[in-house]
Amino acid sequence: MDKKIIEQSSFVPEIIMDPDQGLIEFSGKSYPENTFEVYEPVINWLKEYFDGNAREHTVVNVEIPYFNSSSSKVLYDIFSMLNDASVDGNNIEVNWIYDKEDESTEEDGLDFKEDFDDLTFNIIAR
Amino acid sequence: MLELKELLKKKGVIFSFSGTVSQKVLTNIAGAIEEELASMNEIDNKTIRSILVIFVELMQNIMSYSKEKTEQTGSIYESLGIALIGYSKSNNKYYVGSANFISPDQEHVLRERIDRLNQLDHQGIKELYKELRRSGRDKHERGAGLGFLEMAKKSSEPFEYTITPINSEESFFEILIYV
């Protein structure tokens, strides 16, 4: 599998997907107009990764200080996929990273965490 | 323009926009608004955040409705919109408002969505938000109404809105949201 990087813009986070390190990272704001199209390659990459290409331990770092409603839906779908992969026996750790002054993003993380009992979901203040 | 200025001042408008709403315009404006509000001592960060969240969702709704009209009719509909951010002295709250043209057949869905929301309390809104968000992976039709809920989470009162028929092709939709 190849490493894949989606470049950061003002409204799309940088997304790094590294199959060798078992590392997926999101950093930056997410409020594109065509959210589904933007994230489709990410979802497809994850499907392929967990279809026999996953490392022993996978870390997913998410540092998204703002996201619009369509991104919220897509992120939910991604966490849902990770949750299922966890149930299937994959060792996955999600780190939701937020600025310690940013209560709103902290709450967003907690809201996601609530819905995914089978996923190791850490809320981390920077 | 003096008349306009006086009217805006009377309504407590801090920021106004009228024109084509595109992602590029939105990004630039949101950045400018954030800076402007941050420089105002009387607004706290939480309020600024709420204003921005509502503003972005309203603008993207306008883009989304015009896109839908374009797809349905085959003629290009530009996303023309008006946005206002201001402070209401009468109820001591900041507000975000927007207006745009919609087609009469979009009216029904809009009314349903907003009227439903307006009947919920804060807890009900949070619950509906989570329910809609988890409903069916891969269902991405225009955000499935999550946008209004996102705004409702940040607002302190039911949304005020009016839909005024203009002719058989268009109606004028205006909405006002208090933070």
Side-chain angles (χ1 to χ4, degrees):
Chain A
M1 261 195 91
D2 290 333
K3 181 172 179 177
K4 189 170 172 67
I5 298 183
I6 291 179
E7 267 182 44
Q8 183 172 34
S9 74
S10 344
F11 46 82
V12 173
E14 178 183 57
I15 307 173
I16 300 173
M17 294 163 273
D18 190 331
D20 298 324
Q21 288 202 54
L23 177 64
I24 296 125
E25 295 197 306
F26 298 79
S27 22
K29 296 180 182 172
S30 180
Y31 61 104
E33 186 182 356
N34 55 343
T35 309
F36 186 58
E37 283 87 355
V38 168
Y39 281 89
E40 197 178 5
V42 177
I43 298 204
N44 291 336
W45 190 96
L46 286 170
K47 279 186 182 151
E48 195 186 337
Y49 177 76
F50 286 112
D51 189 19
N53 296 301
R55 309 299 291 172
E56 252 175 56
H57 186 63
T58 302
V59 174
V60 183
N61 293 324
V62 185
E63 190 166 1
I64 302 180
Y66 167 68
F67 51 92
N68 65 356
S69 58
S70 51
S71 300
S72 180
K73 174 88 184 106
V74 164
L75 285 172
Y76 183 91
D77 288 350
I78 289 174
F79 292 138
S80 182
M81 190 187 277
L82 295 174
N83 191 77
D84 288 351
S86 223
V87 168
D88 283 346
N90 289 286
N91 190 306
I92 305 170
E93 172 190 328
V94 175
N95 297 309
W96 179 271
I97 304 160
Y98 70 99
D99 181 298
K100 63 181 182 330
E101 312 278 308
D102 186 356
E103 252 180 60
S104 195
T105 305
E106 180 188 8
E107 266 172 47
D108 291 335
L110 290 166
D111 271 349
F112 276 124
K113 185 185 166 81
E114 253 175 48
D115 273 349
F116 300 112
D117 288 335
D118 306 300
L119 190 54
T120 303
F121 200 106
N122 305 316
I123 313 278
I124 300 176
R126 223 195 245 299
Chain B
M1 268 202 269
L2 185 57
E3 249 182 67
L4 177 61
K5 179 187 173 305
E6 290 305 307
L7 178 61
L8 293 174
K9 186 173 172 185
K10 192 169 148 194
K11 300 283 184 192
V13 174
I14 299 167
F15 172 85
S16 69
F17 170 83
S18 174
T20 306
V21 184
S22 67
Q23 184 67 18
K24 191 169 184 183
V25 164
L26 168 62
T27 307
N28 289 321
I29 292 180
I33 293 172
E34 189 169 16
E35 266 182 49
E36 178 69 32
L37 294 177
S39 74
M40 292 167 60
N41 293 326
E42 52 289 23
I43 311 188
D44 60 70
N45 285 335
K46 189 167 178 200
T47 305
I48 294 178
R49 171 58 162 248
S50 298
I51 290 173
L52 284 168
V53 166
I54 296 169
F55 178 76
V56 171
E57 294 297 333
L58 285 176
M59 293 296 96
Q60 290 191 325
N61 267 2
I62 291 176
M63 290 190 268
S64 165
Y65 276 109
S66 332
K67 201 165 177 186
E68 206 174 288
K69 265 166 75 180
T70 300
E71 279 164 12
Q72 272 170 12
T73 65
S75 346
I76 309 245
Y77 276 87
E78 278 190 39
S79 9
L80 293 172
I82 297 172
L84 295 175
I85 296 174
Y87 178 77
S88 163
K89 273 187 242 172
S90 60
N91 61 2
N92 245 338
K93 292 183 181 186
Y94 287 91
Y95 64 81
V96 186
S98 77
N100 64 301
F101 288 101
I102 60 170
S103 61
D105 56 341
Q106 288 167 321
E107 175 174 341
H108 185 57
V109 178
L110 262 182
R111 282 195 186 280
E112 250 180 45
R113 286 204 170 133
I114 302 174
D115 292 346
R116 171 164 73 160
L117 270 193
N118 278 348
Q119 286 167 24
L120 298 171
D121 62 9
H122 198 73
Q123 190 54 33
I125 288 166
K126 280 193 78 174
E127 277 166 20
L128 183 57
Y129 179 88
K130 292 193 98 181
E131 192 189 305
L132 270 188
R133 185 165 73 173
R134 75 172 82 95
S135 69
R137 210 182 282 178
D138 304 321
K139 266 219 306 248
H140 291 274
E141 332 91 15
R142 306 277 176 241
L146 212 55
F148 279 110
L149 281 160
E150 196 78 71
M151 295 190 271
K153 284 203 298 177
K154 299 293 191 195
S155 74
S156 61
E157 291 191 24
F159 297 169
E160 289 175 19
Y161 75 99
T162 52
I163 301 179
T164 310
I166 304 290
N167 55 42
S168 62
E169 311 274 302
E170 6 189 60
S171 300
F172 190 68
F173 168 69
E174 311 172 48
I175 185 166
L176 190 62
I177 300 178
Y178 288 100
V179 170

